[in-house]
Amino acid sequence: MIRFRKRRAVNIGILAALSVAAYLCYYLNTLTLSNGNFGSGWILLGVMIFLAAYNGRKKFPFLPLGRSSVWLQFHAYGGLLSIFLFLCHIQFRIPNGCLEIVLATLFVIVAGSGVVGLLISRSFARRLSAQGEEVIYERIPLFRRNISKAAEGLILQSVSEMQSTVLASFYREYLHLFFSRPRYFWHHIFGSREPLRILTRRIKANNRYLDESEREIMKNITELVKVKYDLDCHYALQSALKGWLFVHIPLTFALLLVAGLHVLLIYLFRGGI
């Protein structure tokens, strides 16, 4: 923990130093005859290309390009630096012009999704570890089907052995939909267990209508409800961890394309090409 805090303090210090240096370069450019926006723009573009390179690093883990954890640290703090550079580049004003607005909008979405991704990667990883045994995302549908079959088997057992439909009616009204597909996605995202408490209260309330054998079956079903709820939590958290990348990565490359077009148009109008 102490080592992590020291490393974080060093990284923040480096980020602050780079931010100050970038702003000084921009400020000195504005004092000269040259346009400060060109200097900050090229620095910003270079930082964005470096940030996009992290995705390529993940696709080729066998290449001797340094540890992925180190790249991730540079990616996170470089992303924060890019936000400051972007504000310097637009001179802390809302841009005008269609292309500039599109470019700024893309940057805000990419930067925002990056910050959200960083936050959920840290918090959701800890929550998944606290859930106990790791569940492979691709096998979650199979586990869900097995739990559903086990619950339905217990209900069929109660009907055939006890000649009673009380459990079957309760299952059809309150538990069939729960077992058949992922449920309570946003409750899991925000760490709420209220739906599980509600289901548990309903089960306890229904126990008054059951005999001893049916209560034993309901006890087994209750355990399956808890297992299914935890499985849905794994599904929700892992889906969020995978899903935000489908926003962040494609829009990053769209941002680079629009930024390249922006640079081209700037130099065409300046007569530099």
PDB file of all heavy atoms in Angstrom, residues 52-89:
ATOM      1  N   ALA A  52      -3.487   6.252 -28.005  1.00  0.00           N
ATOM      2  CA  ALA A  52      -4.091   5.236 -28.870  1.00  0.00           C
ATOM      3  C   ALA A  52      -3.170   4.033 -29.038  1.00  0.00           C
ATOM      4  O   ALA A  52      -3.643   2.917 -29.276  1.00  0.00           O
ATOM      5  CB  ALA A  52      -4.426   5.841 -30.230  1.00  0.00           C
ATOM      6  N   ALA A  53      -1.862   4.237 -28.913  1.00  0.00           N
ATOM      7  CA  ALA A  53      -0.900   3.146 -29.074  1.00  0.00           C
ATOM      8  C   ALA A  53      -1.056   2.085 -27.991  1.00  0.00           C
ATOM      9  O   ALA A  53      -0.631   0.948 -28.175  1.00  0.00           O
ATOM     10  CB  ALA A  53       0.524   3.695 -29.068  1.00  0.00           C
ATOM     11  N   TYR A  54      -1.669   2.442 -26.857  1.00  0.00           N
ATOM     12  CA  TYR A  54      -1.843   1.461 -25.777  1.00  0.00           C
ATOM     13  C   TYR A  54      -2.720   0.299 -26.234  1.00  0.00           C
ATOM     14  O   TYR A  54      -2.489  -0.848 -25.844  1.00  0.00           O
ATOM     15  CB  TYR A  54      -2.447   2.143 -24.554  1.00  0.00           C
ATOM     16  CG  TYR A  54      -2.757   1.197 -23.421  1.00  0.00           C
ATOM     17  CD1 TYR A  54      -1.770   0.375 -22.894  1.00  0.00           C
ATOM     18  CD2 TYR A  54      -4.044   1.097 -22.889  1.00  0.00           C
ATOM     19  CE1 TYR A  54      -2.047  -0.501 -21.857  1.00  0.00           C
ATOM     20  CE2 TYR A  54      -4.325   0.229 -21.853  1.00  0.00           C
ATOM     21  CZ  TYR A  54      -3.318  -0.563 -21.338  1.00  0.00           C
ATOM     22  OH  TYR A  54      -3.597  -1.438 -20.312  1.00  0.00           O
ATOM     23  N   ASN A  55      -3.720   0.574 -27.063  1.00  0.00           N
ATOM     24  CA  ASN A  55      -4.566  -0.504 -27.573  1.00  0.00           C
ATOM     25  C   ASN A  55      -3.756  -1.469 -28.428  1.00  0.00           C
ATOM     26  O   ASN A  55      -3.956  -2.689 -28.371  1.00  0.00           O
ATOM     27  CB  ASN A  55      -5.722   0.074 -28.382  1.00  0.00           C
ATOM     28  CG  ASN A  55      -6.689  -0.993 -28.852  1.00  0.00           C
ATOM     29  OD1 ASN A  55      -7.260  -1.716 -28.060  1.00  0.00           O
ATOM     30  ND2 ASN A  55      -6.872  -1.095 -30.162  1.00  0.00           N
ATOM     31  N   GLY A  56      -2.821  -0.925 -29.232  1.00  0.00           N
ATOM     32  CA  GLY A  56      -1.939  -1.788 -30.015  1.00  0.00           C
ATOM     33  C   GLY A  56      -1.028  -2.609 -29.126  1.00  0.00           C
ATOM     34  O   GLY A  56      -0.737  -3.774 -29.423  1.00  0.00           O
ATOM     35  N   ARG A  57      -0.562  -2.005 -28.021  1.00  0.00           N
ATOM     36  CA  ARG A  57       0.289  -2.742 -27.077  1.00  0.00           C
ATOM     37  C   ARG A  57      -0.451  -3.946 -26.494  1.00  0.00           C
ATOM     38  O   ARG A  57       0.123  -5.025 -26.323  1.00  0.00           O
ATOM     39  CB  ARG A  57       0.750  -1.793 -25.953  1.00  0.00           C
ATOM     40  CG  ARG A  57       1.361  -2.488 -24.725  1.00  0.00           C
ATOM     41  CD  ARG A  57       2.652  -3.211 -25.095  1.00  0.00           C
ATOM     42  NE  ARG A  57       3.211  -3.924 -23.976  1.00  0.00           N
ATOM     43  CZ  ARG A  57       2.840  -5.124 -23.578  1.00  0.00           C
ATOM     44  NH1 ARG A  57       1.873  -5.758 -24.229  1.00  0.00           N
ATOM     45  NH2 ARG A  57       3.431  -5.719 -22.559  1.00  0.00           N
ATOM     46  N   LYS A  58      -1.744  -3.803 -26.221  1.00  0.00           N
ATOM     47  CA  LYS A  58      -2.516  -4.907 -25.651  1.00  0.00           C
ATOM     48  C   LYS A  58      -2.734  -6.030 -26.656  1.00  0.00           C
ATOM     49  O   LYS A  58      -2.875  -7.188 -26.271  1.00  0.00           O
ATOM     50  CB  LYS A  58      -3.869  -4.388 -25.143  1.00  0.00           C
ATOM     51  CG  LYS A  58      -3.753  -3.489 -23.924  1.00  0.00           C
ATOM     52  CD  LYS A  58      -5.110  -3.233 -23.295  1.00  0.00           C
ATOM     53  CE  LYS A  58      -6.015  -2.454 -24.211  1.00  0.00           C
ATOM     54  NZ  LYS A  58      -7.324  -2.125 -23.571  1.00  0.00           N
ATOM     55  N   LYS A  59      -2.759  -5.674 -27.948  1.00  0.00           N
ATOM     56  CA  LYS A  59      -2.987  -6.694 -28.970  1.00  0.00           C
ATOM     57  C   LYS A  59      -1.738  -7.514 -29.263  1.00  0.00           C
ATOM     58  O   LYS A  59      -1.822  -8.592 -29.865  1.00  0.00           O
ATOM     59  CB  LYS A  59      -3.490  -6.038 -30.266  1.00  0.00           C
ATOM     60  CG  LYS A  59      -4.891  -5.441 -30.132  1.00  0.00           C
ATOM     61  CD  LYS A  59      -5.383  -4.909 -31.445  1.00  0.00           C
ATOM     62  CE  LYS A  59      -6.777  -4.314 -31.336  1.00  0.00           C
ATOM     63  NZ  LYS A  59      -7.775  -5.317 -30.909  1.00  0.00           N
ATOM     64  N   PHE A  60      -0.563  -7.013 -28.858  1.00  0.00           N
ATOM     65  CA  PHE A  60       0.694  -7.740 -29.101  1.00  0.00           C
ATOM     66  C   PHE A  60       1.456  -7.886 -27.791  1.00  0.00           C
ATOM     67  O   PHE A  60       2.539  -7.311 -27.616  1.00  0.00           O
ATOM     68  CB  PHE A  60       1.539  -6.998 -30.134  1.00  0.00           C
ATOM     69  CG  PHE A  60       0.852  -6.810 -31.457  1.00  0.00           C
ATOM     70  CD1 PHE A  60       0.257  -5.593 -31.773  1.00  0.00           C
ATOM     71  CD2 PHE A  60       0.778  -7.846 -32.370  1.00  0.00           C
ATOM     72  CE1 PHE A  60      -0.384  -5.410 -32.987  1.00  0.00           C
ATOM     73  CE2 PHE A  60       0.139  -7.671 -33.592  1.00  0.00           C
ATOM     74  CZ  PHE A  60      -0.445  -6.453 -33.901  1.00  0.00           C
ATOM     75  N   PRO A  61       0.920  -8.667 -26.844  1.00  0.00           N
ATOM     76  CA  PRO A  61       1.568  -8.789 -25.534  1.00  0.00           C
ATOM     77  C   PRO A  61       2.909  -9.512 -25.579  1.00  0.00           C
ATOM     78  O   PRO A  61       3.702  -9.406 -24.634  1.00  0.00           O
ATOM     79  CB  PRO A  61       0.540  -9.588 -24.716  1.00  0.00           C
ATOM     80  CG  PRO A  61      -0.234 -10.360 -25.741  1.00  0.00           C
ATOM     81  CD  PRO A  61      -0.289  -9.482 -26.957  1.00  0.00           C
ATOM     82  N   PHE A  62       3.164 -10.254 -26.666  1.00  0.00           N
ATOM     83  CA  PHE A  62       4.404 -11.021 -26.760  1.00  0.00           C
ATOM     84  C   PHE A  62       5.602 -10.150 -27.156  1.00  0.00           C
ATOM     85  O   PHE A  62       6.750 -10.575 -27.034  1.00  0.00           O
ATOM     86  CB  PHE A  62       4.237 -12.155 -27.779  1.00  0.00           C
ATOM     87  CG  PHE A  62       3.739 -11.703 -29.121  1.00  0.00           C
ATOM     88  CD1 PHE A  62       4.619 -11.277 -30.105  1.00  0.00           C
ATOM     89  CD2 PHE A  62       2.377 -11.686 -29.398  1.00  0.00           C
ATOM     90  CE1 PHE A  62       4.156 -10.850 -31.340  1.00  0.00           C
ATOM     91  CE2 PHE A  62       1.900 -11.265 -30.633  1.00  0.00           C
ATOM     92  CZ  PHE A  62       2.787 -10.848 -31.605  1.00  0.00           C
ATOM     93  N   LEU A  63       5.351  -8.940 -27.642  1.00  0.00           N
ATOM     94  CA  LEU A  63       6.451  -8.068 -28.049  1.00  0.00           C
ATOM     95  C   LEU A  63       7.104  -7.429 -26.819  1.00  0.00           C
ATOM     96  O   LEU A  63       6.424  -7.092 -25.848  1.00  0.00           O
ATOM     97  CB  LEU A  63       5.946  -6.974 -28.994  1.00  0.00           C
ATOM     98  CG  LEU A  63       5.431  -7.440 -30.355  1.00  0.00           C
ATOM     99  CD1 LEU A  63       4.917  -6.257 -31.160  1.00  0.00           C
ATOM    100  CD2 LEU A  63       6.522  -8.174 -31.120  1.00  0.00           C
ATOM    101  N   PRO A  64       8.432  -7.267 -26.844  1.00  0.00           N
ATOM    102  CA  PRO A  64       9.138  -6.682 -25.679  1.00  0.00           C
ATOM    103  C   PRO A  64       8.980  -5.158 -25.631  1.00  0.00           C
ATOM    104  O   PRO A  64       9.922  -4.399 -25.872  1.00  0.00           O
ATOM    105  CB  PRO A  64      10.591  -7.088 -25.932  1.00  0.00           C
ATOM    106  CG  PRO A  64      10.717  -7.173 -27.422  1.00  0.00           C
ATOM    107  CD  PRO A  64       9.374  -7.683 -27.913  1.00  0.00           C
ATOM    108  N   LEU A  65       7.767  -4.712 -25.309  1.00  0.00           N
ATOM    109  CA  LEU A  65       7.467  -3.278 -25.300  1.00  0.00           C
ATOM    110  C   LEU A  65       7.211  -2.755 -23.894  1.00  0.00           C
ATOM    111  O   LEU A  65       6.650  -1.678 -23.735  1.00  0.00           O
ATOM    112  CB  LEU A  65       6.243  -3.002 -26.179  1.00  0.00           C
ATOM    113  CG  LEU A  65       6.386  -3.373 -27.656  1.00  0.00           C
ATOM    114  CD1 LEU A  65       5.068  -3.176 -28.389  1.00  0.00           C
ATOM    115  CD2 LEU A  65       7.484  -2.544 -28.313  1.00  0.00           C
ATOM    116  N   GLY A  66       7.630  -3.514 -22.890  1.00  0.00           N
ATOM    117  CA  GLY A  66       7.393  -3.082 -21.512  1.00  0.00           C
ATOM    118  C   GLY A  66       6.132  -3.704 -20.952  1.00  0.00           C
ATOM    119  O   GLY A  66       5.282  -4.211 -21.682  1.00  0.00           O
ATOM    120  N   ARG A  67       6.005  -3.653 -19.644  1.00  0.00           N
ATOM    121  CA  ARG A  67       4.862  -4.253 -18.974  1.00  0.00           C
ATOM    122  C   ARG A  67       3.581  -3.468 -19.251  1.00  0.00           C
ATOM    123  O   ARG A  67       3.594  -2.245 -19.327  1.00  0.00           O
ATOM    124  CB  ARG A  67       5.102  -4.330 -17.468  1.00  0.00           C
ATOM    125  CG  ARG A  67       6.201  -5.328 -17.070  1.00  0.00           C
ATOM    126  CD  ARG A  67       6.325  -5.397 -15.570  1.00  0.00           C
ATOM    127  NE  ARG A  67       6.659  -4.088 -15.010  1.00  0.00           N
ATOM    128  CZ  ARG A  67       6.671  -3.826 -13.717  1.00  0.00           C
ATOM    129  NH1 ARG A  67       6.346  -4.774 -12.849  1.00  0.00           N
ATOM    130  NH2 ARG A  67       6.994  -2.625 -13.274  1.00  0.00           N
ATOM    131  N   SER A  68       2.488  -4.218 -19.375  1.00  0.00           N
ATOM    132  CA  SER A  68       1.196  -3.582 -19.650  1.00  0.00           C
ATOM    133  C   SER A  68       0.778  -2.669 -18.497  1.00  0.00           C
ATOM    134  O   SER A  68       0.138  -1.637 -18.724  1.00  0.00           O
ATOM    135  CB  SER A  68       0.133  -4.657 -19.867  1.00  0.00           C
ATOM    136  OG  SER A  68      -1.124  -4.086 -20.141  1.00  0.00           O
ATOM    137  N   SER A  69       1.131  -3.035 -17.263  1.00  0.00           N
ATOM    138  CA  SER A  69       0.762  -2.204 -16.112  1.00  0.00           C
ATOM    139  C   SER A  69       1.423  -0.831 -16.189  1.00  0.00           C
ATOM    140  O   SER A  69       0.823   0.181 -15.809  1.00  0.00           O
ATOM    141  CB  SER A  69       1.157  -2.907 -14.813  1.00  0.00           C
ATOM    142  OG  SER A  69       2.552  -3.156 -14.774  1.00  0.00           O
ATOM    143  N   VAL A  70       2.670  -0.787 -16.686  1.00  0.00           N
ATOM    144  CA  VAL A  70       3.372   0.494 -16.842  1.00  0.00           C
ATOM    145  C   VAL A  70       2.690   1.320 -17.935  1.00  0.00           C
ATOM    146  O   VAL A  70       2.471   2.534 -17.778  1.00  0.00           O
ATOM    147  CB  VAL A  70       4.853   0.267 -17.172  1.00  0.00           C
ATOM    148  CG1 VAL A  70       5.565   1.592 -17.429  1.00  0.00           C
ATOM    149  CG2 VAL A  70       5.541  -0.481 -16.031  1.00  0.00           C
ATOM    150  N   TRP A  71       2.347   0.665 -19.041  1.00  0.00           N
ATOM    151  CA  TRP A  71       1.630   1.352 -20.120  1.00  0.00           C
ATOM    152  C   TRP A  71       0.299   1.912 -19.620  1.00  0.00           C
ATOM    153  O   TRP A  71      -0.092   3.027 -19.990  1.00  0.00           O
ATOM    154  CB  TRP A  71       1.383   0.384 -21.278  1.00  0.00           C
ATOM    155  CG  TRP A  71       2.527   0.274 -22.234  1.00  0.00           C
ATOM    156  CD1 TRP A  71       3.686  -0.420 -22.049  1.00  0.00           C
ATOM    157  CD2 TRP A  71       2.625   0.879 -23.526  1.00  0.00           C
ATOM    158  NE1 TRP A  71       4.502  -0.295 -23.141  1.00  0.00           N
ATOM    159  CE2 TRP A  71       3.874   0.492 -24.079  1.00  0.00           C
ATOM    160  CE3 TRP A  71       1.791   1.690 -24.285  1.00  0.00           C
ATOM    161  CZ2 TRP A  71       4.296   0.908 -25.331  1.00  0.00           C
ATOM    162  CZ3 TRP A  71       2.203   2.100 -25.550  1.00  0.00           C
ATOM    163  CH2 TRP A  71       3.444   1.712 -26.059  1.00  0.00           C
ATOM    164  N   LEU A  72      -0.362   1.146 -18.780  1.00  0.00           N
ATOM    165  CA  LEU A  72      -1.652   1.599 -18.249  1.00  0.00           C
ATOM    166  C   LEU A  72      -1.485   2.854 -17.395  1.00  0.00           C
ATOM    167  O   LEU A  72      -2.300   3.783 -17.476  1.00  0.00           O
ATOM    168  CB  LEU A  72      -2.296   0.488 -17.424  1.00  0.00           C
ATOM    169  CG  LEU A  72      -3.645   0.823 -16.770  1.00  0.00           C
ATOM    170  CD1 LEU A  72      -4.669   1.221 -17.833  1.00  0.00           C
ATOM    171  CD2 LEU A  72      -4.153  -0.359 -15.956  1.00  0.00           C
ATOM    172  N   GLN A  73      -0.426   2.902 -16.591  1.00  0.00           N
ATOM    173  CA  GLN A  73      -0.168   4.087 -15.780  1.00  0.00           C
ATOM    174  C   GLN A  73       0.071   5.310 -16.660  1.00  0.00           C
ATOM    175  O   GLN A  73      -0.513   6.380 -16.438  1.00  0.00           O
ATOM    176  CB  GLN A  73       1.058   3.847 -14.882  1.00  0.00           C
ATOM    177  CG  GLN A  73       0.816   2.884 -13.740  1.00  0.00           C
ATOM    178  CD  GLN A  73      -0.132   3.441 -12.699  1.00  0.00           C
ATOM    179  OE1 GLN A  73      -0.048   4.597 -12.326  1.00  0.00           O
ATOM    180  NE2 GLN A  73      -1.050   2.608 -12.226  1.00  0.00           N
ATOM    181  N   PHE A  74       0.910   5.149 -17.671  1.00  0.00           N
ATOM    182  CA  PHE A  74       1.169   6.257 -18.595  1.00  0.00           C
ATOM    183  C   PHE A  74      -0.105   6.645 -19.347  1.00  0.00           C
ATOM    184  O   PHE A  74      -0.347   7.827 -19.623  1.00  0.00           O
ATOM    185  CB  PHE A  74       2.275   5.894 -19.583  1.00  0.00           C
ATOM    186  CG  PHE A  74       3.657   6.059 -19.033  1.00  0.00           C
ATOM    187  CD1 PHE A  74       4.439   4.956 -18.726  1.00  0.00           C
ATOM    188  CD2 PHE A  74       4.194   7.319 -18.814  1.00  0.00           C
ATOM    189  CE1 PHE A  74       5.724   5.107 -18.220  1.00  0.00           C
ATOM    190  CE2 PHE A  74       5.473   7.484 -18.304  1.00  0.00           C
ATOM    191  CZ  PHE A  74       6.239   6.377 -18.005  1.00  0.00           C
ATOM    192  N   HIS A  75      -0.913   5.634 -19.694  1.00  0.00           N
ATOM    193  CA  HIS A  75      -2.156   5.905 -20.423  1.00  0.00           C
ATOM    194  C   HIS A  75      -3.107   6.730 -19.562  1.00  0.00           C
ATOM    195  O   HIS A  75      -3.724   7.690 -20.055  1.00  0.00           O
ATOM    196  CB  HIS A  75      -2.815   4.580 -20.808  1.00  0.00           C
ATOM    197  CG  HIS A  75      -4.011   4.731 -21.686  1.00  0.00           C
ATOM    198  ND1 HIS A  75      -3.921   4.936 -23.041  1.00  0.00           N
ATOM    199  CD2 HIS A  75      -5.342   4.715 -21.400  1.00  0.00           C
ATOM    200  CE1 HIS A  75      -5.133   5.034 -23.558  1.00  0.00           C
ATOM    201  NE2 HIS A  75      -6.020   4.905 -22.584  1.00  0.00           N
ATOM    202  N   ALA A  76      -3.240   6.359 -18.291  1.00  0.00           N
ATOM    203  CA  ALA A  76      -4.171   7.062 -17.396  1.00  0.00           C
ATOM    204  C   ALA A  76      -3.736   8.512 -17.181  1.00  0.00           C
ATOM    205  O   ALA A  76      -4.519   9.450 -17.350  1.00  0.00           O
ATOM    206  CB  ALA A  76      -4.266   6.328 -16.065  1.00  0.00           C
ATOM    207  N   TYR A  77      -2.469   8.708 -16.825  1.00  0.00           N
ATOM    208  CA  TYR A  77      -2.003  10.064 -16.547  1.00  0.00           C
ATOM    209  C   TYR A  77      -1.823  10.872 -17.829  1.00  0.00           C
ATOM    210  O   TYR A  77      -2.015  12.091 -17.835  1.00  0.00           O
ATOM    211  CB  TYR A  77      -0.700  10.017 -15.744  1.00  0.00           C
ATOM    212  CG  TYR A  77      -0.927   9.538 -14.331  1.00  0.00           C
ATOM    213  CD1 TYR A  77      -0.536   8.269 -13.928  1.00  0.00           C
ATOM    214  CD2 TYR A  77      -1.550  10.358 -13.397  1.00  0.00           C
ATOM    215  CE1 TYR A  77      -0.760   7.828 -12.642  1.00  0.00           C
ATOM    216  CE2 TYR A  77      -1.778   9.929 -12.107  1.00  0.00           C
ATOM    217  CZ  TYR A  77      -1.385   8.669 -11.725  1.00  0.00           C
ATOM    218  OH  TYR A  77      -1.615   8.233 -10.443  1.00  0.00           O
ATOM    219  N   GLY A  78      -1.473  10.184 -18.921  1.00  0.00           N
ATOM    220  CA  GLY A  78      -1.411  10.871 -20.206  1.00  0.00           C
ATOM    221  C   GLY A  78      -2.783  11.345 -20.654  1.00  0.00           C
ATOM    222  O   GLY A  78      -2.915  12.413 -21.265  1.00  0.00           O
ATOM    223  N   GLY A  79      -3.826  10.558 -20.334  1.00  0.00           N
ATOM    224  CA  GLY A  79      -5.177  10.982 -20.657  1.00  0.00           C
ATOM    225  C   GLY A  79      -5.576  12.231 -19.900  1.00  0.00           C
ATOM    226  O   GLY A  79      -6.196  13.145 -20.462  1.00  0.00           O
ATOM    227  N   LEU A  80      -5.207  12.305 -18.626  1.00  0.00           N
ATOM    228  CA  LEU A  80      -5.483  13.512 -17.846  1.00  0.00           C
ATOM    229  C   LEU A  80      -4.712  14.713 -18.398  1.00  0.00           C
ATOM    230  O   LEU A  80      -5.229  15.831 -18.450  1.00  0.00           O
ATOM    231  CB  LEU A  80      -5.120  13.275 -16.376  1.00  0.00           C
ATOM    232  CG  LEU A  80      -5.964  12.217 -15.652  1.00  0.00           C
ATOM    233  CD1 LEU A  80      -5.436  12.003 -14.240  1.00  0.00           C
ATOM    234  CD2 LEU A  80      -7.431  12.629 -15.604  1.00  0.00           C
ATOM    235  N   LEU A  81      -3.470  14.462 -18.819  1.00  0.00           N
ATOM    236  CA  LEU A  81      -2.674  15.540 -19.420  1.00  0.00           C
ATOM    237  C   LEU A  81      -3.323  16.037 -20.708  1.00  0.00           C
ATOM    238  O   LEU A  81      -3.337  17.247 -20.983  1.00  0.00           O
ATOM    239  CB  LEU A  81      -1.257  15.044 -19.703  1.00  0.00           C
ATOM    240  CG  LEU A  81      -0.327  15.998 -20.462  1.00  0.00           C
ATOM    241  CD1 LEU A  81      -0.119  17.291 -19.672  1.00  0.00           C
ATOM    242  CD2 LEU A  81       1.002  15.329 -20.773  1.00  0.00           C
ATOM    243  N   SER A  82      -3.880  15.109 -21.486  1.00  0.00           N
ATOM    244  CA  SER A  82      -4.497  15.510 -22.760  1.00  0.00           C
ATOM    245  C   SER A  82      -5.697  16.427 -22.527  1.00  0.00           C
ATOM    246  O   SER A  82      -5.975  17.306 -23.344  1.00  0.00           O
ATOM    247  CB  SER A  82      -4.917  14.266 -23.558  1.00  0.00           C
ATOM    248  OG  SER A  82      -6.036  13.626 -22.957  1.00  0.00           O
ATOM    249  N   ILE A  83      -6.417  16.219 -21.421  1.00  0.00           N
ATOM    250  CA  ILE A  83      -7.559  17.098 -21.113  1.00  0.00           C
ATOM    251  C   ILE A  83      -7.066  18.525 -20.892  1.00  0.00           C
ATOM    252  O   ILE A  83      -7.653  19.496 -21.401  1.00  0.00           O
ATOM    253  CB  ILE A  83      -8.320  16.575 -19.877  1.00  0.00           C
ATOM    254  CG1 ILE A  83      -8.944  15.215 -20.181  1.00  0.00           C
ATOM    255  CG2 ILE A  83      -9.394  17.578 -19.448  1.00  0.00           C
ATOM    256  CD1 ILE A  83      -9.602  14.558 -18.987  1.00  0.00           C
ATOM    257  N   PHE A  84      -5.975  18.661 -20.144  1.00  0.00           N
ATOM    258  CA  PHE A  84      -5.419  19.988 -19.896  1.00  0.00           C
ATOM    259  C   PHE A  84      -4.909  20.618 -21.194  1.00  0.00           C
ATOM    260  O   PHE A  84      -5.145  21.807 -21.465  1.00  0.00           O
ATOM    261  CB  PHE A  84      -4.286  19.888 -18.876  1.00  0.00           C
ATOM    262  CG  PHE A  84      -3.628  21.195 -18.570  1.00  0.00           C
ATOM    263  CD1 PHE A  84      -4.211  22.109 -17.700  1.00  0.00           C
ATOM    264  CD2 PHE A  84      -2.421  21.536 -19.163  1.00  0.00           C
ATOM    265  CE1 PHE A  84      -3.612  23.323 -17.428  1.00  0.00           C
ATOM    266  CE2 PHE A  84      -1.810  22.750 -18.895  1.00  0.00           C
ATOM    267  CZ  PHE A  84      -2.415  23.644 -18.022  1.00  0.00           C
ATOM    268  N   LEU A  85      -4.235  19.830 -22.021  1.00  0.00           N
ATOM    269  CA  LEU A  85      -3.732  20.341 -23.296  1.00  0.00           C
ATOM    270  C   LEU A  85      -4.874  20.771 -24.202  1.00  0.00           C
ATOM    271  O   LEU A  85      -4.775  21.775 -24.918  1.00  0.00           O
ATOM    272  CB  LEU A  85      -2.888  19.262 -23.985  1.00  0.00           C
ATOM    273  CG  LEU A  85      -1.526  18.962 -23.364  1.00  0.00           C
ATOM    274  CD1 LEU A  85      -0.909  17.725 -24.022  1.00  0.00           C
ATOM    275  CD2 LEU A  85      -0.583  20.154 -23.508  1.00  0.00           C
ATOM    276  N   PHE A  86      -5.956  19.993 -24.179  1.00  0.00           N
ATOM    277  CA  PHE A  86      -7.113  20.338 -25.007  1.00  0.00           C
ATOM    278  C   PHE A  86      -7.703  21.682 -24.585  1.00  0.00           C
ATOM    279  O   PHE A  86      -8.041  22.514 -25.430  1.00  0.00           O
ATOM    280  CB  PHE A  86      -8.161  19.229 -24.892  1.00  0.00           C
ATOM    281  CG  PHE A  86      -9.440  19.539 -25.607  1.00  0.00           C
ATOM    282  CD1 PHE A  86      -9.525  19.446 -26.986  1.00  0.00           C
ATOM    283  CD2 PHE A  86     -10.571  19.919 -24.902  1.00  0.00           C
ATOM    284  CE1 PHE A  86     -10.704  19.729 -27.657  1.00  0.00           C
ATOM    285  CE2 PHE A  86     -11.758  20.205 -25.554  1.00  0.00           C
ATOM    286  CZ  PHE A  86     -11.819  20.108 -26.931  1.00  0.00           C
ATOM    287  N   LEU A  87      -7.813  21.897 -23.275  1.00  0.00           N
ATOM    288  CA  LEU A  87      -8.340  23.172 -22.776  1.00  0.00           C
ATOM    289  C   LEU A  87      -7.422  24.332 -23.170  1.00  0.00           C
ATOM    290  O   LEU A  87      -7.894  25.419 -23.518  1.00  0.00           O
ATOM    291  CB  LEU A  87      -8.505  23.111 -21.255  1.00  0.00           C
ATOM    292  CG  LEU A  87      -9.591  22.151 -20.750  1.00  0.00           C
ATOM    293  CD1 LEU A  87      -9.569  22.073 -19.230  1.00  0.00           C
ATOM    294  CD2 LEU A  87     -10.966  22.579 -21.237  1.00  0.00           C
ATOM    295  N   CYS A  88      -6.101  24.086 -23.111  1.00  0.00           N
ATOM    296  CA  CYS A  88      -5.163  25.119 -23.557  1.00  0.00           C
ATOM    297  C   CYS A  88      -5.332  25.393 -25.049  1.00  0.00           C
ATOM    298  O   CYS A  88      -5.287  26.549 -25.493  1.00  0.00           O
ATOM    299  CB  CYS A  88      -3.724  24.690 -23.266  1.00  0.00           C
ATOM    300  SG  CYS A  88      -3.269  24.717 -21.523  1.00  0.00           S
ATOM    301  N   HIS A  89      -5.512  24.332 -25.819  1.00  0.00           N
ATOM    302  CA  HIS A  89      -5.594  24.469 -27.267  1.00  0.00           C
ATOM    303  C   HIS A  89      -6.815  25.281 -27.693  1.00  0.00           C
ATOM    304  O   HIS A  89      -6.739  26.093 -28.625  1.00  0.00           O
ATOM    305  CB  HIS A  89      -5.628  23.089 -27.912  1.00  0.00           C
ATOM    306  CG  HIS A  89      -5.619  23.127 -29.411  1.00  0.00           C
ATOM    307  ND1 HIS A  89      -4.584  23.656 -30.148  1.00  0.00           N
ATOM    308  CD2 HIS A  89      -6.548  22.713 -30.315  1.00  0.00           C
ATOM    309  CE1 HIS A  89      -4.862  23.559 -31.434  1.00  0.00           C
ATOM    310  NE2 HIS A  89      -6.047  23.000 -31.561  1.00  0.00           N
TER     311      HIS A  89
END
